[in-house]
Amino acid sequence: MDAKVTGEEERPATRIQRENREVILEAALKAFSGHGFRGTTIDEIARGAGMSKTNLLYYFRRKEDVYRAVLERTLDEWLAPLEALDPEGDPVEELRRYITLKLRMSRRTPEASRLFANEILSGAPVIREALETRLRGLVQKKAAVIRGWVGTGRLAPIDPVHLIFLIWATTQHYADFAPQIRAILGDQIDKPGFDDQAAQAVLTIVLSGIRPRPEAG
């Protein structure tokens, strides 16, 4: 969707159009994550973007189009680290990098994680097709990579799809359940180094379960 203005024939977008579109999506993300789809209006998004409703509707015809674009952008950002999983790399280091990036993204953009979670909990009415095609295909592709690592003894015997599910659940917890974490840890979560500490804890737990184990003598 980046290459065109929604509702018009496909043509390369100008730099200003791309920038305005990003401003709209950022404002929409804050509005939708705070008030949900039904509780958010085009006028509210336009105010957050610092532009008129008419100007916003040049880029997106309907509120549904803005909502879909925000979800698709979130999916693009989340899938990039998984897509980068290198079959030729060291398995533990590749998964270490993936987990670290995923946790960092969850902490950096909790609004995106919460919005996506709400869409899934409501049955994924808008993003379902992307989940059943693009997401499923990528997970199957990367599960085959992990399965290959297991087959050559470079990882412990694990189900690769459930490993990916575990990584998603663990890393996104820090965004989706941030109030619960704050209730338990207080202002510790605001201190420098908390993200690194959390990442190290998650890595230690996950990686200790996937490292290959020596055969019993």
Side-chain angles (χ1 to χ4, degrees):
M1 294 181 67
D2 287 338
K4 64 179 179 178
V5 177
T6 301
E8 298 191 0
E9 291 186 5
E10 187 171 347
R11 66 171 185 266
T14 66
R15 177 183 59 81
I16 292 176
Q17 287 173 336
R18 290 194 299 270
E19 290 175 353
N20 285 344
R21 190 174 185 279
E22 285 303 307
V23 169
I24 292 169
L25 293 181
E26 281 299 318
L29 173 59
K30 293 178 182 178
F32 286 133
S33 66
H35 308 297
F37 175 76
R38 294 182 180 178
T40 298
T41 65
I42 284 289
D43 294 280
E44 180 183 359
I45 297 171
R47 284 195 302 271
M51 63 178 61
S52 68
K53 179 179 178 179
T54 301
N55 195 11
L56 186 151
L57 291 175
Y58 171 75
Y59 294 90
F60 299 95
R61 292 177 300 172
R62 306 171 301 163
K63 181 174 71 170
E64 290 85 350
D65 295 331
V66 187
Y67 181 69
R68 180 184 298 276
V70 172
L71 289 171
E72 289 178 348
R73 187 182 69 161
T74 298
L75 191 60
D76 287 343
E77 293 173 349
W78 283 0
L79 294 188
L82 181 58
E83 181 68 60
L85 209 65
D86 184 3
E88 303 302 320
D90 177 75
V92 171
E93 289 308 311
E94 287 297 310
L95 290 168
R96 182 193 302 277
R97 178 195 54 77
Y98 177 53
I99 292 169
T100 300
L101 286 174
K102 199 63 181 57
L103 183 59
R104 191 175 299 157
M105 292 170 71
S106 293
R107 286 278 294 166
R108 188 179 69 241
T109 56
E111 300 92 350
S113 185
R114 287 195 293 270
L115 178 63
F116 201 86
N118 288 335
E119 166 71 9
I120 299 302
L121 289 172
S122 66
V126 173
I127 205 76
R128 178 182 294 277
E129 183 179 355
L131 299 181
E132 294 178 343
T133 55
R134 184 182 173 198
L135 179 62
R136 177 186 292 173
L138 180 59
V139 169
Q140 290 175 343
K141 176 182 175 183
K142 296 305 176 178
V145 171
I146 297 171
R147 197 173 291 114
W149 288 336
V150 172
T152 56
R154 301 171 73 192
L155 286 182
I158 51 171
D159 184 297
V161 174
H162 288 289
L163 173 62
I164 293 172
F165 289 165
L166 174 66
I167 292 172
W168 289 351
T170 305
T171 55
Q172 286 167 225
H173 175 87
Y174 287 88
D176 301 340
F177 290 85
Q180 177 175 274
I181 294 173
R182 182 176 291 278
I184 296 170
L185 298 179
D187 61 3
Q188 289 184 47
I189 68 173
D190 301 318
K191 294 180 179 178
F194 176 79
D195 287 353
D196 291 338
Q197 178 186 358
Q200 187 56 51
V202 172
L203 286 166
T204 299
I205 294 167
V206 174
L207 297 181
S208 65
I210 64 174
R211 293 182 189 275
R213 300 170 181 80
E215 296 290 339

